[in-house]
Amino acid sequence: MRIGFDAKRMVRNATGLGNYARTLINDLSAIAPADCECCLYAPDKGNDQLRQMVNTAPNVRFCYPDASSFLSRTGLGKAWWRSHGVVNDLRRDDIQLYHGLSGELPVGIKKAGIKTVVTIHDLIFLRHPEYYQWLDTKLYAWKFRRTIAEADRIIAISECTKRDIMFYGGVNPDKIDLIYQSCGTRFKQPATAEERARVSQKYQLPERYIIHVGSVEERKNMLLAVKAMHYVPHDVSLVIVGRRTPYADRLEQYIRENGLLQRVKMFHQVPFADLPALYQQAEACVYPSRYEGFGIPIIEAIQSGLPVVACTGSCLMEAGGNDNIYVSPDDVSGMANGICLSLKGAEGREERIARSQQYIQRFEGNNVAAQVFNVYEKVMSDK
């Protein structure tokens, strides 16, 4: 079997969809039969460091647009190739099944006779359109409805996402496979003393801190955690790591006006290689997002030996299990209390961490890849 994959996020995104794609391909390549080839279709080579995180294997290769074509030279051309032109390349390469790893399938792939699987991570643009530009919500909604019509099978990465696919798309649940997002095990490996010292010096880390990793955007609701810092011991700081958006300006204004400049630090464009040491020197992780499709940073934090304080209302309890603390996304005192119960020395903290680490083993490694490969076999066996 020759399987094609949408690899744009694999070579472009350091977190989220990129991590999902890289981890899945690495795990699939290790368990797939010798006669199964994984062809990764990307509009360009993207980021060298991210591309090199895909394991070199005899049954894995990257595929790009023809270098002599305008499709390989312009942003508009690359976008058109990914959404339309790639179908011709899939037929040329005798691809039998194509997996859209980030919620999309190219136009015309069903007509081309190629079997399809799509992973849908979330439908936040439908559940919470207030976080998006009006035109973007219309475009994403059109892509979603076209994709679910083209797909032979749909993979939902959480029960929450499965419910949304059924509700907003009217999709028969028999067409949906619930397969929790795979997570690599890099964060389980202790950072060396040298690496911890390097990262601590680079970011001037406080002696005691809690951490958040994720884009600094309105939906992530970081203002809740910042407000909670008024009620957390004063020798504990908050370190926020993530892509900057205009929402960060509001956070910074609140931080300045409320005397928290010395206790709340934000870092943007942090290399992936620095994350393990950043997590592992923290005391707890906060993830106050109002809505997520899954929440990989929660698993990364637990792998790093941290308890987590997150919010109710989406799928975060699915990601973290019952032994972490979940509060309403508007409950400042609840968030503060949760943080205090998660700091070093808190009663039962180490036991809760151990149970959480046991829980998240379901998301690690080849078990997820095996479930996905079973979906491929199911699709190929359907006439």
Side-chain angles (χ1 to χ4, degrees):
M1 180 161 53
R2 184 171 289 171
I3 309 171
F5 296 86
D6 177 6
K8 176 186 175 181
R9 307 291 184 183
M10 201 178 297
V11 300
R12 295 278 191 87
N13 289 43
T15 59
L17 299 180
N19 281 341
Y20 173 80
R22 288 185 294 271
T23 301
L24 180 59
I25 288 299
N26 288 341
D27 292 342
L28 279 172
S29 65
I31 68 164
D35 60 351
C36 179
E37 184 177 7
C38 300
C39 302
L40 314 180
Y41 290 85
D44 53 40
K45 292 186 176 181
N47 181 285
D48 290 344
Q49 183 182 17
L50 297 178
R51 191 178 65 255
Q52 290 163 9
M53 291 169 66
V54 178
N55 294 343
T56 301
N59 59 345
V60 176
R61 67 183 176 95
F62 279 95
C63 307
Y64 308 105
D66 182 350
S68 64
S69 167
F70 85 96
L71 298 180
S72 67
R73 296 194 298 269
T74 68
L76 186 61
K78 292 174 183 179
W80 188 91
W81 176 82
R82 180 172 176 251
S83 62
H84 294 75
V86 69
V87 174
N88 290 330
D89 290 5
L90 300 176
R91 293 159 83 178
R92 175 201 65 202
D93 296 339
D94 194 27
I95 295 297
Q96 297 159 279
L97 182 147
Y98 183 82
H99 188 167
L101 295 173
S102 54
E104 297 181 47
L105 291 172
V107 175
I109 193 168
K110 187 172 185 177
K111 186 177 180 180
I114 299 170
K115 298 280 192 176
T116 54
V117 174
V118 64
T119 296
I120 295 181
H121 298 261
D122 63 67
L123 295 178
I124 299 171
F125 54 89
L126 292 174
R127 177 67 69 179
H128 287 287
E130 66 272 19
Y131 297 134
Y132 296 83
Q133 297 292 329
W134 178 85
L135 185 59
D136 287 341
T137 63
K138 299 302 180 184
L139 176 62
Y140 297 156
W142 174 79
K143 286 184 176 181
F144 165 65
R145 294 189 175 94
R146 180 184 57 77
T147 291
I148 60 175
E150 295 253 358
D152 290 299
R153 300 293 303 176
I154 298 169
I155 293 174
I157 65 164
S158 69
E159 184 65 49
C160 179
T161 295
K162 180 179 178 178
R163 290 195 301 267
D164 281 354
I165 294 168
M166 294 163 57
F167 179 79
Y168 289 106
V171 177
N172 187 323
D174 292 340
K175 187 178 179 178
I176 306 171
D177 296 284
L178 172 59
I179 303 178
Y180 285 113
Q181 185 165 344
S182 181
C183 184
T185 57
R186 177 172 181 181
F187 292 92
K188 295 177 77 169
Q189 312 307 316
T192 65
E194 292 79 8
E195 186 66 6
R196 288 174 175 243
R198 182 190 68 79
V199 168
S200 183
Q201 175 64 29
K202 178 178 179 180
Y203 299 101
Q204 293 294 290
L205 295 176
E207 185 174 340
R208 300 185 69 194
Y209 66 92
I210 57 176
I211 190 169
H212 168 84
V213 176
S215 299
V216 187
E217 59 183 291
E218 185 173 3
R219 175 173 56 86
K220 301 291 187 180
N221 194 31
M222 276 310 298
L223 186 57
L224 178 70
V226 172
K227 288 180 176 180
M229 294 305 293
H230 292 295
Y231 311 101
V232 171
H234 285 189
D235 63 336
V236 177
S237 297
L238 170 62
V239 171
I240 301 170
V241 178
R243 178 178 61 86
R244 185 184 182 89
T245 75
Y247 178 72
D249 295 337
R250 290 171 51 191
L251 276 184
E252 289 174 340
Q253 180 179 355
Y254 182 91
I255 291 165
R256 286 194 306 271
E257 292 176 353
N258 288 272
L260 292 171
L261 278 172
Q262 300 304 313
R263 297 185 61 206
V264 181
K265 310 293 182 184
M266 279 196 281
F267 302 109
H268 313 291
Q269 298 181 320
V270 172
F272 183 81
D274 291 351
L275 289 180
L278 281 164
Y279 273 124
Q280 292 172 24
Q281 295 180 91
E283 293 194 24
C285 169
V286 288
Y287 205 75
S289 180
R290 291 185 178 275
Y291 207 84
E292 293 292 328
F294 190 56
I296 279 288
I298 287 180
I299 297 175
E300 293 172 348
I302 295 170
Q303 288 178 331
S304 301
L306 302 182
V308 176
V309 187
C311 283
T312 57
S314 60
C315 64
L316 299 182
M317 188 175 289
E318 285 186 73
N322 294 329
D323 289 292
N324 290 289
I325 297 173
Y326 305 91
V327 303
S328 166
D330 296 302
D331 186 357
V332 175
S333 63
M335 173 59 68
N337 186 55
I339 292 170
C340 292
L341 292 174
S342 302
L343 296 174
K344 288 182 178 178
E347 183 178 356
R349 176 182 184 270
E350 303 308 317
E351 291 78 8
R352 295 196 301 271
I353 292 171
R355 290 194 296 268
S356 295
Q357 290 177 328
Q358 183 71 27
Y359 173 83
I360 64 167
Q361 288 180 12
R362 67 193 65 195
F363 306 127
E364 298 171 354
N366 290 343
N367 181 47
V368 171
Q371 293 178 66
V372 171
F373 199 81
N374 286 340
V375 174
Y376 298 162
E377 292 181 320
K378 184 190 305 182
V379 169
M380 294 306 296
S381 65
D382 289 341
K383 301 300 182 184

